[in-house]
């Protein structure tokens, strides 16, 4: 039966990547409307459960690592179609290596060096496979974005996704009686971070005077949906980040001038925020009483484990995707002892069988440092710096255009997401990762336009 399931999965994967994707490219040839529809659909589909657009081969469901097998993301099939469409139309702006791609590939390559210290070498190639294929999305979206309207198609897809998400979350809260709502995500924290990651750029579009009234109401509705969703997750950090980001967007828009639209949005946003917080105050108060002191903060103990792994393997780490083995019994007794000592200090009795599958550190950066060492971490850091720099530079370059506030919103969103990464590792998870790559690709395309403009070729 298992062999039959593998054969079926392989058949589906080959159909998507070798038939569906290329066929989509032929269908879209010369059809701008269809291309925009698929761009928007790609953005919207990310709100759906991961099982709707991913399929795993050699999946190890019992493993507590951040990658459990060789993951196929069907959004990459759409991206293949978008890229092939550009090739068939002989587009001169088609690029196999969009700005930023070389650093992304460099990070994957140097992270593979961690295989020398890996307890399970095969596990190292699982995230490499997953992150390498994100390049398909980057190439496809880059090829499909040919102007401002294409970017707006992507953002409309995200906006409809946010509205869809809040409906699902309201159902989960008031019909199913949930408390910390997860929607179609695995956990409330990834959902809340995904929400503000796209909610802030959408606010930028709503604040732009060049945005039509029809689109403005769509974006405002999506932004309101984003705020309500974060409240329903009861994520204190995400709510704070969302509030800071909204203020930065409003202040940035006022630099372009005080307009009735911006003043009205500021007033409505403030009143709406106060109303929602008043309604949800009881749920947040129930979380404020939770003891998060260092003595009871599991994250501190897990970060201590990461620090010990880095000290032992500073160059290449203990092996990409091997953290869940290295910090657990029986093969990671040395690092498991750190967590066990933390439990002893809390007055708990140590039962060895309970430490056979210890949790991963919540910090994206400590996870990368532990698994890939300084080598992999530095390349990842360079990619983050480069994408943020693309955001800053293109915000300034396009400031006086309808896209200026959108690029500013993406830049603020990336900066806050990168800061939040100190305590959340969501950029390793498929939905957040894919969204991040799409936003980075939008900035990559803007960087390409800026370079052409500088050379007088646009």
């Amino acid at each position: 039966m298992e062999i039959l399931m593998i054969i079926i999965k392989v058949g589906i994967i080959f159909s998507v990547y070798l038939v569906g994707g290329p066929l989509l490219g032929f269908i879209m040839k010369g059809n701008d409307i269809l291309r925009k529809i698929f761009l928007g659909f790609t953005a919207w589909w990310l709100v759906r459960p991961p099982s709707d657009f991913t399929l795993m081969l050699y999946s190890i469901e019992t493993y507590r690592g951040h990658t459990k097998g060789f993951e196929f993301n069907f959004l990459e099939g759409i991206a293949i179609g978008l890229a092939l469409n550009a090739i068939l139309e002989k587009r001169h702006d088609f690029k196999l290596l969009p700005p930023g791609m070389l650093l992304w590939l460099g990070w994957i390559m140097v992270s593979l060096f961690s295989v020398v210290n890996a307890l399970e070498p095969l596990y190292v190639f699982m995230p490499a496979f997953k992150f390498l294929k994100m390049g398909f999305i980057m190439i496809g979206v880059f090829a499909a974005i040919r102007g401002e309207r294409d970017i707006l198609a992507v953002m409309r897809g995200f906006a409809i996704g946010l509205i869809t998400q809040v409906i699902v979350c309201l159902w989960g809260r008031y019909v199913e009686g949930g408390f910390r709502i997860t929607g179609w995500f695995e956990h409330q924290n990834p959902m809340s971070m995904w929400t503000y990651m796209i909610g802030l750029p959408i606010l930028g579009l709503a604040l732009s005077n060049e945005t039509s009234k029809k689109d403005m109401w769509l974006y405002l509705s999506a932004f309101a949906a984003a705020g309500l969703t974060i409240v329903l997750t009861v994520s204190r950090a995400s709510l704070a980040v969302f509030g800071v980001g909204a203020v930065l967007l409003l202040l940035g828009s006022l630099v372009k001038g005080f307009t009735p639209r911006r003043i009205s949005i500021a007033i409505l946003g403030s009143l709406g925020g106060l109303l929602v917080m008043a309604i949800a105050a009881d749920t947040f108060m129930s979380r404020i009483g939770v003891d998060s002191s260092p003595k009871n903060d599991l994250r501190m103990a897990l970060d201590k484990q990461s620090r010990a792994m880095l000290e032992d393997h500073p160059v290449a780490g203990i092996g990409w995707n091997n953290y869940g083995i290295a910090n657990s019994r029986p093969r990671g007794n040395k690092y498991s002892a750190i967590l066990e000592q933390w439990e002893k200090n809390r007055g708990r009795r140590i039962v060895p069988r309970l430490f056979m599958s210890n949790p991963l550190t919540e910090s994206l950066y400590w996870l990368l440092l532990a698994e890939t060492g300084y080598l992999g971490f530095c390349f990842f850091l360079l990619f983050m710096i480069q994408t943020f720099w693309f955001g800053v530079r293109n915000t300034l370059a396009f400031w006086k255009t309808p896209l200026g506030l959108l690029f500013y919103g993406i830049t603020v969103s990336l900066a806050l997401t990168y800061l939040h990464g100190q305590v959340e590792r969501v950029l390793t998870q498929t939905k957040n990762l894919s969204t991040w790559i799409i936003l980075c690709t939008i900035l990559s395309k803007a960087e390409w336009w800026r370079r052409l403009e500088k050379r007088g070729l646009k």
Side-chain angles (χ1 to χ4, degrees), residues 63 111-125 127 313 316-323 325-326 331 370-372:
Y63 182 49
S111 295
L112 283 172
F113 293 159
S114 67
V115 73
V116 298
N117 299 321
L119 293 171
E120 284 288 351
L122 181 64
Y123 287 16
V124 172
F125 296 96
H313 302 286
I318 49 90
W320 207 3
N321 198 33
N322 272 245
Y323 193 103
I325 303 171
R331 301 171 73 179
E371 290 192 341
T372 63

Side-chain angles (χ1 to χ4, degrees), residues 180 189 192 230-231 233-240 284 287 420:
R180 298 193 69 187
N189 288 343
S192 63
I230 292 174
V231 169
T233 67
V234 200
S235 174
R236 295 166 294 181
S238 291
L239 185 63
F284 276 92
R287 288 209 66 212
H420 204 164

Side-chain angles (χ1 to χ4, degrees), residues 344-356:
K344 281 183 181 179
N345 293 341
R346 300 172 70 220
R348 303 287 180 85
R349 186 169 66 89
I350 302 304
V351 181
R353 63 180 174 80
L354 298 179
F355 293 87
M356 302 291 284

Side-chain angles (χ1 to χ4, degrees), residues 329-375:
R329 289 175 176 263
R331 301 171 73 179
N333 289 339
K334 177 180 179 181
Y335 305 117
S336 181
I338 296 172
L339 183 59
E340 293 166 28
Q341 185 59 50
W342 177 77
E343 291 285 10
K344 281 183 181 179
N345 293 341
R346 300 172 70 220
R348 303 287 180 85
R349 186 169 66 89
I350 302 304
V351 181
R353 63 180 174 80
L354 298 179
F355 293 87
M356 302 291 284
S357 183
N358 292 329
L360 275 64
T361 175
E362 293 293 328
S363 168
L364 173 66
Y365 305 125
W366 273 119
L367 180 67
L368 290 173
L369 281 166
E371 290 192 341
T372 63
Y374 287 113
L375 188 61

Side-chain angles (χ1 to χ4, degrees), residues 65 94 111 149 182-183 206 229 268 278 282 418 424:
F94 175 77
S111 295
R149 292 183 179 180
T182 61
T229 296
L268 284 174
D282 57 334
Y418 294 160
E424 295 289 351

Side-chain angles (χ1 to χ4, degrees), residues 377-398:
F377 175 76
C378 286
F379 267 77
F380 188 78
L381 195 62
L382 284 174
F383 180 77
M384 289 197 303
I385 292 171
Q386 184 182 52
T387 52
F388 177 72
W389 176 237
F390 283 170
V392 172
R393 189 153 59 178
N394 288 294
T395 295
L396 297 174
F398 292 87

Side-chain angles (χ1 to χ4, degrees), residues 138-313:
M138 189 179 292
I139 293 170
V141 173
F142 186 94
I145 293 176
R146 301 172 185 178
E148 176 188 331
R149 292 183 179 180
D150 299 311
I151 292 178
L152 294 181
V154 176
M155 300 313 297
R156 289 189 190 107
F158 278 135
I160 296 171
L162 285 176
I163 294 169
T164 304
Q165 176 179 259
V166 79
I167 294 171
V168 174
C169 291
L170 287 169
W171 179 272
R173 177 66 180 273
Y174 295 106
V175 177
E176 296 179 345
F179 175 60
R180 298 193 69 187
I181 307 302
T182 61
W184 282 327
F185 281 70
E186 308 93 325
H187 191 271
Q188 62 272 4
N189 288 343
M191 183 172 72
S192 63
M193 291 183 70
W194 180 83
T195 299
Y196 76 66
M197 190 189 298
I198 58 177
L200 295 176
I202 282 173
L203 175 60
L205 281 172
L207 289 165
S208 176
N209 286 334
E210 291 84 0
T211 299
S212 68
K213 286 188 177 180
K214 181 179 69 174
D215 278 348
M216 181 198 73
W217 286 113
L218 171 65
Y219 296 138
L220 277 181
S221 299
F223 180 72
L228 183 54
T229 296
I230 292 174
V231 169
L232 291 172
T233 67
V234 200
S235 174
R236 295 166 294 181
S238 291
L239 185 63
V241 169
F242 184 72
V244 169
V247 170
L248 290 174
L249 261 294
L250 285 167
L251 292 176
S253 71
L254 294 176
V255 171
K256 296 190 75 171
F258 288 80
T259 65
R261 173 180 293 194
R262 290 164 189 159
I263 294 171
S264 299
I265 290 175
I267 295 172
L268 284 174
S270 301
L271 293 175
L274 289 173
L275 177 62
V276 169
M277 284 307 300
I279 295 172
D282 57 334
T283 57
F284 276 92
M285 289 304 294
S286 66
R287 288 209 66 212
I288 289 175
V290 177
D291 184 1
S292 58
S293 62
K295 177 183 176 182
N296 291 297
D297 191 349
L298 176 60
R299 295 185 184 195
M300 297 243 179
L302 296 174
D303 290 349
K304 191 174 180 181
Q305 278 187 330
S306 306
R307 193 176 296 110
M309 294 177 191
L310 180 63
E311 289 174 356
D312 289 344
H313 302 286

